[in-house]
Amino acid sequence: MDRHLGKIGLFTGLSTLVLFIVGIRTIGGYELGWKNYLAFSVFGLTVGLIALLLLHYKLRLAFWFFMAGMVISFEEFFRSILMIGGELGQSLAILSVYIFSSFSLGIGLIVQFIIILIKKNQ
């Protein structure tokens, strides 16, 4: 499993980048500038790195919380783009990805560290 950590992080980061581009450019129908691609790439790199580090430090429960949050965030991302038109829909979509992903990472880390402390005290 340790050999595949880089592949899991790379896949997570690239899929995040692709979902952002598909959502805004293809489904939303808006032209993206180079700054948009740069911002999406940095966020995708960050998500991939977080996934890699969670698995590297054997925080599996936090990883699964984070991945579940990413799935929920992209579901909300596409729902916002499809249901709310215009720039407001795009803004709410991207904001929902940031909010859900950071919230799921925080909750996952809190739960993981509570479990670690409970095991340590037993």
Side-chain angles (χ1 to χ4, degrees):
M1 178 70 176
D2 290 336
R3 305 185 329 220
H4 302 293
L5 296 182
K7 293 176 187 175
I8 293 171
L10 181 67
F11 176 75
T12 305
L14 285 178
S15 62
T16 301
L17 174 65
V18 168
L19 287 173
F20 262 136
I21 292 171
V22 166
I24 298 293
R25 192 183 71 190
T26 307
I27 295 175
Y30 293 96
E31 191 62 37
L32 297 174
W34 66 271
K35 290 181 183 179
N36 298 110
Y37 289 114
L38 180 66
F40 295 160
S41 299
V42 168
F43 185 73
L45 179 68
T46 305
V47 167
L49 190 62
I50 288 170
L52 173 89
L53 290 174
L54 288 174
L55 288 174
H56 176 72
Y57 289 113
K58 305 213 182 334
L59 302 172
R60 305 255 189 252
L61 189 61
F63 170 77
W64 288 112
F65 265 90
F66 181 61
M67 286 296 110
M70 290 304 294
V71 169
I72 292 170
S73 70
F74 274 107
E75 183 274 326
E76 179 66 22
F77 173 76
F78 286 116
R79 189 197 65 79
S80 295
I81 288 176
L82 291 173
M83 297 297 171
I84 304 169
E87 293 177 6
L88 178 65
Q90 284 183 12
S91 299
L92 289 176
I94 291 174
L95 214 60
S96 68
V97 171
Y98 293 151
I99 290 170
F100 279 114
S101 62
S102 62
F103 185 71
S104 66
L105 177 63
I107 293 295
L109 287 174
I110 289 169
V111 168
Q112 183 76 52
F113 288 130
I114 288 173
I115 291 174
I116 289 171
L117 287 174
I118 288 172
K119 286 182 182 179
K120 192 174 188 178
N121 287 335
Q122 288 181 351

